[in-house]
Amino acid sequence: MVHPGPGGRARRPYLGGVYRFLLTPRWWGINLFVVLAIPFCVFMGTWQLGRFEDRVQSHEQAEKAPDPSTRKAKPLASLLPVDTVTSGRPATATGTYADQFLVPGRELDERTGFYVLTMLRTDGGKALPVVRGWLPGDADKASAAAGVPAAPKGEVTVTGDLQASENANSDGVSTAGGLPEGQLGMINAGSLVNLVPYDVYDAWVTLPAGEAGGPVSGADSGMRAVPAAAPQGTGLDLKAFQNLGYTGEWFVFAAFVLFMWFRLLRREAEAARDIALGIPPEDGTPAGGDHPAQADAAADKPAETANDGAETVSSSAPVR
């Protein structure tokens, strides 16, 4: 329906004229961004929520499962590679002790000390890192290495709790580098292969109490057994709640994009309505300026301008 304007002249529908700016290239770009951004934010929020739910589920399963250390010991090869099921399981390996390293900056019962790690060269040729125990004090002191009980000589069979190789996110790991010779910041096959001339298993074991000193008990040797750690990603730790926080952030981003689109749409429509009523824009753009709404409004009234000009010419002509 066409509504008559001032002086009986026909004008386009008001609503269609106000929202014609939605067909401009600028608004096509804005709408495309919104259409792509909102599903992306929802997808990322759902993915983060799924990761949090997986951690909760794995935590519940770990609590219901029996203690891995109470299960029967199995040969090392049958438990590799280490995963959430085999982590903490007792593993047996036979070989001879070789190179020894100190792992500084490790805490036990709120005391700082270092691990005593000795490489066990197995019959297959590979070496298994064995944490024989923990000692208090500073590993940098010259007396530290001297006070470490010697590893047993000859062929031995060890039984320890299996652990996955450490990474930069593991507790107590030092990634600073520059450690003195004979020290190791991370129990990791990638770090050890650069220090020893043989292949290394991508795993390690920690000896329980009573075996930490080899033939001597852990208490008599002065070393304390290092308890096995739960596998990463199976507990409700800080990272799990970070996933939950990221979930909320992504959904907030989606709502913010929708809010800003609606706010910009409303502002543009109000500007177009004001210009259609002859009210200058609030940003101070002069009449005939390059405001997008002004351009749309000007396009709506070409016939009116022509008629106004004709009337002006007609009124200024002399009467005879």
Side-chain angles (χ1 to χ4, degrees):
M1 177 178 181
V2 179
H3 300 280
R9 290 186 299 270
R11 296 187 58 185
R12 295 184 182 182
Y14 177 73
L15 186 62
V18 169
Y19 289 98
R20 282 191 62 201
F21 62 84
L22 290 174
L23 302 178
T24 60
R26 183 171 71 98
W27 270 92
W28 274 109
I30 293 174
N31 294 333
L32 179 62
F33 171 78
V34 172
V35 168
L36 296 178
I38 292 180
F40 176 76
C41 292
V42 172
F43 169 77
M44 291 300 298
T46 305
W47 179 70
Q48 290 289 352
L49 181 61
R51 294 199 62 183
F52 173 74
E53 292 175 345
D54 290 341
R55 289 178 179 270
V56 172
Q57 184 177 5
S58 62
H59 176 69
E60 293 176 349
Q61 292 176 349
E63 286 187 336
K64 295 178 181 178
D67 186 357
S69 61
T70 61
R71 300 181 182 180
K72 183 179 178 180
K74 290 187 175 182
L76 174 66
S78 65
L79 299 176
L80 296 177
V82 185
D83 54 22
T84 57
V85 176
T86 60
S87 179
R89 290 283 300 271
T92 60
T94 301
T96 55
Y97 281 119
D99 298 271
Q100 183 164 280
F101 300 92
L102 303 183
V103 187
R106 299 307 175 102
E107 293 187 357
L108 186 63
D109 295 337
E110 299 182 354
R111 298 178 63 191
T112 302
F114 55 90
Y115 292 168
V116 178
L117 184 146
T118 310
M119 305 299 294
L120 181 72
R121 298 199 65 177
T122 64
D123 298 337
K126 278 189 174 182
L128 174 67
V130 177
V131 174
R132 295 168 49 222
W134 174 90
L135 286 172
D138 188 356
D140 292 336
K141 294 183 179 179
S143 59
V148 174
K153 302 293 184 180
E155 188 176 78
V156 295
T157 299
V158 299
T159 301
D161 296 334
L162 187 63
Q163 299 280 268
S165 290
E166 294 180 334
N167 54 53
N169 298 321
S170 302
D171 293 337
V173 165
S174 173
T175 58
L179 294 174
E181 184 178 358
Q183 293 189 19
L184 184 69
M186 181 189 309
I187 308 175
N188 185 291
S191 302
L192 285 164
V193 293
N194 297 321
L195 302 176
V196 295
Y198 38 79
D199 293 334
V200 180
Y201 281 106
D202 190 18
W204 57 284
V205 298
T206 173
L207 299 185
E211 295 190 22
V216 197
S217 68
D220 294 338
S221 68
M223 291 193 295
R224 297 181 58 184
V226 177
Q232 289 186 343
T234 59
L236 294 179
D237 52 7
L238 179 60
K239 290 184 179 180
F241 290 101
Q242 283 180 342
N243 293 134
L244 187 61
Y246 294 150
T247 299
E249 288 182 1
W250 281 112
F251 286 124
V252 168
F253 290 159
F256 179 75
V257 170
L258 186 60
F259 167 76
M260 290 303 298
W261 176 86
F262 177 77
R263 188 172 183 270
L264 186 60
L265 174 70
R266 184 177 178 181
R267 179 180 178 182
E268 196 88 1
E270 290 177 351
R273 181 169 58 248
D274 292 344
I275 292 172
L277 296 175
I279 303 174
E282 294 183 357
D283 59 4
T285 304
D290 56 356
H291 193 282
Q294 280 184 297
D296 293 337
D300 284 344
K301 301 188 297 182
E304 294 180 16
T305 305
N307 291 337
D308 290 344
E311 292 176 1
T312 303
V313 171
S314 176
S315 62
S316 61
V319 180
R320 295 181 181 178

